[in-house]
Amino acid sequence: MATIDTLDLKGKRVLVRVDFNVPLNDKLEITDDSRMQAHLPTIETIFAKGGVPILMSHLGRPKNGPEDKFSLKHLVAHLKDISGREVFFIDDCIGDSVVNATKDLGNKSILLLENLRFYKEETSGDTVFASQLAKNGDVYINDAFGTAHRAHASTAIIAKYFESQKAFGRVLQSEIENVNKVLLGGEKPTTAIVGGAKVSSKISILENLLQRVDNLIIGGGMAYTFIKAQGGTIGNSLVEDDYLETAKDVLAKAAELGVKIFLPEDSVIADAFSNDANTKLWASNEIPAGWMGLDAGPNAIASVKEVLLASKTILWNGPMGVFEMEKFAEGTKAVANFIAEATTKGAFSLIGGGDSVAAIKKFGLAEEVSYVSTGGGAMLEFLEGKTLPGIKAIIG
Ligand code: AMP
């Protein structure tokens, strides 16, 4: 794999696609800088190897060219603080003035370019725009996992202007290495927990994981489509009737491949989608009309515990219930705790994608698992088995 370690950076202008798409409040203050922090190892490695980092990123979704609230200038002071480096900012990302600035930096300072998405050519993947960006560096590093599933000018198209002078930064490198620990055969038994709202948004992940895991725990709202497909009664629980046949196919394929499927045998059911609803514990396949399953029940949690504590490789994507509501958070909280416990006992655990990342952070367990992915949509596509454009562009 082409990483920063494989390139000679001495005296080079190292153009790095970072993901500085941080949340800003009304006063344009950064409310969570974890995306910026994540790139510091890449930046420091570039300095250590004698290169000069030139950083480019998007921020938010500007619609019609430059807009002050989306300017990367709002990040400069904080980047100085956390990097301990001089940071220069230039209010464009292409053109002669930018190229000149890249050549005039010394070897101790960072140059931050203006928001790539001030040009619509960025997201359309325009070749001319990509070639103009390419003039800003002698070497190209892609470190933006969050946009690696997009064939944008700065994430994919640009790479062709660097032939062998391109590589993954530390963030992208560790995302790839960690996901591959699961997808390319981790220590067995391997267990995937897939939850969340909809079968339709997770079906490609389920199909891909079936080929690779020993146990597949299906939870959250999507479990009820499977339970209905098996002939169960699910009351008013979330269901996608269009996906009943697909659910049956997944179950049949699992049986064929010898993958053990776990569906919640019991649920916390509620008479409304509300934290104030009346609730009771019930068999998931006999839910009465007017009631809906909103969380895993105690028997389901006990089964999940047994599987997870016996697993050596664990992947978690999607909550077990409506964890945003206190009343229906127990299943998700329990899974987070079992994964942490399994990790302490030596399992490799990866938390990948959107809401399970939010959940593990909410329960304060992010440090207790092996790896928490930084990319939402990118991670989902990765788990689907797709080759992401931003990765393909580097690998060639
Ligand atoms: P996803 O984005 O597909 O991973 O789905 C995450 C969402 O699924 C969260 O907002 C959860 O509240 C929701 N969810 C989880 N379990 C259920 C359930 N049993 N019924 C309805 N929504 C659920």
Side-chain angles (χ1 to χ4, degrees), residues 318-340:
M320 297 292 97
V322 185
F323 76 106
E324 299 93 333
M325 297 182 199
E326 196 57 39
K327 243 184 189 164
F328 310 110
E330 283 309 310
T332 305
K333 200 186 284 178
V335 161
N337 275 298
F338 301 148
I339 295 175

Side-chain angles (χ1 to χ4, degrees), residues 324-384:
E324 299 93 333
M325 297 182 199
E326 196 57 39
K327 243 184 189 164
F328 310 110
E330 283 309 310
T332 305
K333 200 186 284 178
V335 161
N337 275 298
F338 301 148
I339 295 175
E341 193 178 335
T343 312
T344 311
K345 289 173 58 190
F348 173 79
S349 55
L350 179 124
I351 318 300
D355 276 341
S356 26
V357 173
I360 202 92
K361 288 183 178 167
K362 177 175 169 173
F363 303 131
L365 293 167
E367 304 297 324
E368 316 288 320
V369 298
S370 309
Y371 192 74
V372 180
S373 173
T374 58
M379 179 49 82
L380 294 183
E381 293 197 19
F382 210 166
L383 294 177
E384 287 173 2

Side-chain angles (χ1 to χ4, degrees), residues 221-381:
M222 59 190 273
Y224 299 98
T225 298
F226 282 88
I227 291 167
K228 184 169 179 184
Q230 287 178 321
T233 308
I234 58 166
N236 291 26
S237 303
L238 202 63
V239 66
E240 286 173 286
D241 284 319
D242 299 354
Y243 278 80
L244 291 172
E245 286 310 311
T246 311
K248 280 184 199 163
D249 291 345
V250 168
L251 296 172
K253 186 82 184 165
E256 195 183 301
L257 293 167
V259 176
K260 269 194 172 164
I261 298 272
F262 294 82
L263 286 159
E265 49 266 57
D266 59 350
S267 295
V268 178
I269 63 170
D271 60 0
F273 190 80
S274 156
N275 205 32
D276 302 322
N278 295 306
T279 61
K280 49 191 181 182
L281 299 175
W282 215 263
S284 302
N285 59 358
E286 292 174 3
I287 300 177
W291 292 76
M292 61 191 89
L294 294 183
D295 197 8
N299 295 330
I301 291 174
S303 307
V304 167
K305 178 177 185 179
E306 198 180 323
V307 183
L308 288 176
L309 293 188
S311 299
K312 288 285 177 223
T313 305
I314 298 170
L315 164 72
W316 183 26
N317 174 286
M320 297 292 97
V322 185
F323 76 106
E324 299 93 333
M325 297 182 199
E326 196 57 39
K327 243 184 189 164
F328 310 110
E330 283 309 310
T332 305
K333 200 186 284 178
V335 161
N337 275 298
F338 301 148
I339 295 175
E341 193 178 335
T343 312
T344 311
K345 289 173 58 190
F348 173 79
S349 55
L350 179 124
I351 318 300
D355 276 341
S356 26
V357 173
I360 202 92
K361 288 183 178 167
K362 177 175 169 173
F363 303 131
L365 293 167
E367 304 297 324
E368 316 288 320
V369 298
S370 309
Y371 192 74
V372 180
S373 173
T374 58
M379 179 49 82
L380 294 183
E381 293 197 19

Side-chain angles (χ1 to χ4, degrees), residues 48-126:
K49 297 193 72 176
V52 188
I54 293 148
L55 310 182
M56 56 179 177
S57 179
H58 74 288
L59 175 64
R61 294 178 176 219
K63 294 271 181 305
N64 293 309
E67 237 180 296
D68 186 73
K69 68 173 175 180
F70 296 121
S71 172
L72 281 160
K73 72 182 180 199
H74 304 303
L75 275 55
V76 172
H78 191 65
L79 182 57
K80 267 185 199 166
D81 284 350
I82 61 172
S83 67
R85 300 275 177 179
E86 181 90 55
V87 178
F88 293 103
F89 172 75
I90 183 149
D91 62 358
D92 206 339
C93 58
I94 54 167
D96 290 344
S97 61
V98 182
V99 176
N100 290 339
T102 65
K103 290 181 174 159
D104 197 22
L105 274 175
N107 57 4
K108 294 202 166 46
S109 313
I110 297 170
L111 179 65
L112 178 64
L113 310 186
E114 183 55 290
N115 195 338
L116 294 157
R117 291 196 189 165
F118 285 172
Y119 290 89
K120 62 178 182 347
E121 290 83 354
E122 161 63 358
T123 47
S124 66
D126 185 80

